[in-house]
Amino acid sequence: MSNNTNQAPQQWNSRFGYIMVAAGAAIGLGNIWKFPYLAYQGGGGIFLIVYIIVIALMAHPMVEMETAIGRHSASDTVTCFERINKKWGFVGWIANICTWMINMYYVVVGGWVLKYAVQYIISGDFGEDKQAYFNNFTSSAVEPIIWTLVILVFVSIMLLFGITNIVEKLTKFIMPLLFVFLIVCGIWALFVTDNAMEGLKFYLLPDFSKFSFSVFAKAATQVLFSVGIGWGIYETLGANIPKENNLKSDAILVSICDTGAAILAGFVIIPSAFAGGVDVQSGPGLVFLVMTDIFGKLPGGRIIGCCFFLALIFAVISSLFTFFEISTRTFEDNCKMGRKKATVVTALIIGIGNIIVSLGFGVLSGVKLPWIDATGISHLGLYDWLDTFTGYILLPLGCWLVCVFVAKIWGFKNYEKELTNDGKYGKLSLYDKILTIVVVPAFMVIVILNVFGFIQ
């Protein structure tokens, strides 16, 4: 992509390429690392049903709105709002701040995944005490930072050539392979382990007695992070979409791909954990502690472990391409930097944050930040505070602001014109307007009330 900021963004080389990049942005640690243990905590099958409903009622319309805003303005996350209304550029800056914060811990965890993937390729040996191995590695002052910087540098170099060039070609290869790896892992776990079918039944068959308001809130929160709505992803990617593309069908495909990856991840992890007799509620340590222990006991465990962590690193990298592009495009277009300078500045901001967050698991583990909720004041580590602040406040805020922007500032008539290509792909229905004005904002209120302890 040229350094000339006056040029229009390059368009995607194919619709399939865009869908794969957009799906790659959505499919990441949220799907494979976080979704399975939340599904277990939420009662398995009932959580899965609620999750799919929330995808349809909240994620799908948000992807449509954000993509339409991006394509209409064909620019970065800040400028796309300013070109419609100069006073609303702050929404784009909130999205950039949110993305910087997420990248500060996301790349660190990505470095852990890369370390484990390489370890499986080399030997698959994590010692007798998996917990000690994990703790010693993550608390080290040097090694995790090295693996993190490998991810940071690789993603930045790829983006120097523009997201519609090398990145698009690479993602078209990565994403199908990710699904293949997940399917292989799931089938392997079902057929070579005892009790795996019990886990599959728990995961797929809903027990409606386990439904609660808290389960709904957790599902909605997970959708925000997993699909990637409310923080500029689809405005950024939408800037490169040709005018003749059907945004409505594209949004459906992206939502289906993201949901499919999450369901497949649960299909791998929950039956495996049932068979291994381990606690799926291990949370963030599930992948690095539980799964390595399970793979160590399975016939051919090293092979399946290698496939699993390769799938996970593919998911991490495909997400980071777009996460980095959000800030890079803003610096390039809105701040009038060249492509190379914008990429370097983005990498430096994220890299500094990565180092601080990584040290937060070791020498800076004593640093705690305050968090206020209905129960009083608690203190969270650097990673947990960033995760909570972005996922439970900035993401809902971003979605709420987009809904207000579309309904009140841009207007439904202008939005319909962009979304449907002047009526070529249908019209904006009353149902669509209700989702924008009522349903999505209501879901955001539930998420925020949940994190502050008002909904249990």
Side-chain angles (χ1 to χ4, degrees), residues 137-151:
F137 166 65
T138 57
S139 63
S140 170
V142 178
E143 188 180 4
I145 292 177
I146 293 175
W147 290 105
T148 297
L149 293 180
V150 170
I151 298 285

Side-chain angles (χ1 to χ4, degrees), residues 251-362:
I252 291 173
L253 289 174
V254 171
S255 299
I256 289 174
C257 287
D258 178 80
T259 306
I263 292 174
L264 278 175
F267 176 64
V268 174
I269 293 175
I270 293 178
S272 297
F274 260 74
V278 296
D279 183 10
V280 183
Q281 300 188 69
S282 302
L286 178 64
V287 168
F288 303 100
L289 303 177
V290 176
M291 297 311 293
T292 51
D293 185 59
I294 291 172
F295 294 146
K297 298 174 182 177
L298 287 177
R302 181 183 169 190
I303 297 175
I304 200 66
C306 184
C307 289
F308 179 83
F309 278 96
L310 284 176
L312 190 55
I313 197 63
F314 283 173
V316 169
I317 291 174
S318 65
S319 295
L320 289 176
F321 284 144
T322 302
F323 295 179
F324 279 37
E325 178 70 9
I326 294 171
S327 302
T328 299
R329 180 72 64 80
T330 298
F331 286 134
E332 183 182 9
D333 292 351
N334 191 268
C335 300
K336 309 303 180 185
M337 295 183 185
R339 182 73 185 184
K340 291 182 179 178
K341 185 176 181 181
T343 304
V344 171
V345 171
T346 298
L348 285 175
I349 293 173
I350 296 171
I352 292 171
N354 291 157
I355 292 172
I356 295 173
V357 170
S358 183
L359 293 176
F361 292 93

Side-chain angles (χ1 to χ4, degrees), residues 3-79:
N3 289 338
N4 186 352
T5 57
N6 293 321
Q7 284 188 335
Q10 293 184 9
Q11 294 185 342
W12 302 106
N13 295 311
S14 67
R15 186 187 182 205
F16 177 73
Y18 161 69
I19 296 298
M20 288 299 97
V21 173
I27 299 169
L29 290 174
N31 302 75
I32 304 175
W33 163 61
K34 194 173 183 181
F35 175 85
Y37 73 77
L38 285 179
Y40 185 92
Q41 292 174 349
I46 187 62
F47 181 92
L48 185 59
I49 289 177
V50 173
Y51 183 86
I52 293 173
I53 292 173
V54 174
I55 287 285
L57 297 181
M58 182 177 77
H60 174 242
M62 280 302 305
V63 173
E64 286 186 339
M65 285 187 279
E66 294 188 31
T67 307
I69 292 170
R71 187 174 71 173
H72 177 78
S73 301
S75 190
D76 64 277
T77 307
V78 176
T79 306

Side-chain angles (χ1 to χ4, degrees), residues 107-166:
V107 185
V108 173
V109 179
W112 299 352
V113 175
L114 181 60
K115 159 69 175 178
Y116 271 66
V118 171
Q119 187 66 18
Y120 262 111
I121 293 172
I122 294 174
S123 67
D125 182 15
F126 297 91
E128 291 296 325
D129 190 339
K130 305 297 190 300
Q131 180 75 59
Y133 183 95
F134 177 77
N135 291 343
N136 290 336
F137 166 65
T138 57
S139 63
S140 170
V142 178
E143 188 180 4
I145 292 177
I146 293 175
W147 290 105
T148 297
L149 293 180
V150 170
I151 298 285
L152 177 77
V153 171
F154 174 77
V155 172
S156 299
I157 290 176
M158 291 298 100
L159 285 174
L160 282 174
F161 301 97
I163 198 168
T164 60
N165 296 318
I166 291 179

Side-chain angles (χ1 to χ4, degrees), residues 199-212:
L200 187 62
K201 290 178 182 178
F202 172 82
Y203 178 51
L204 297 180
L205 300 180
D207 180 353
F208 291 96
S209 66
K210 295 183 179 180
F211 176 79
S212 67

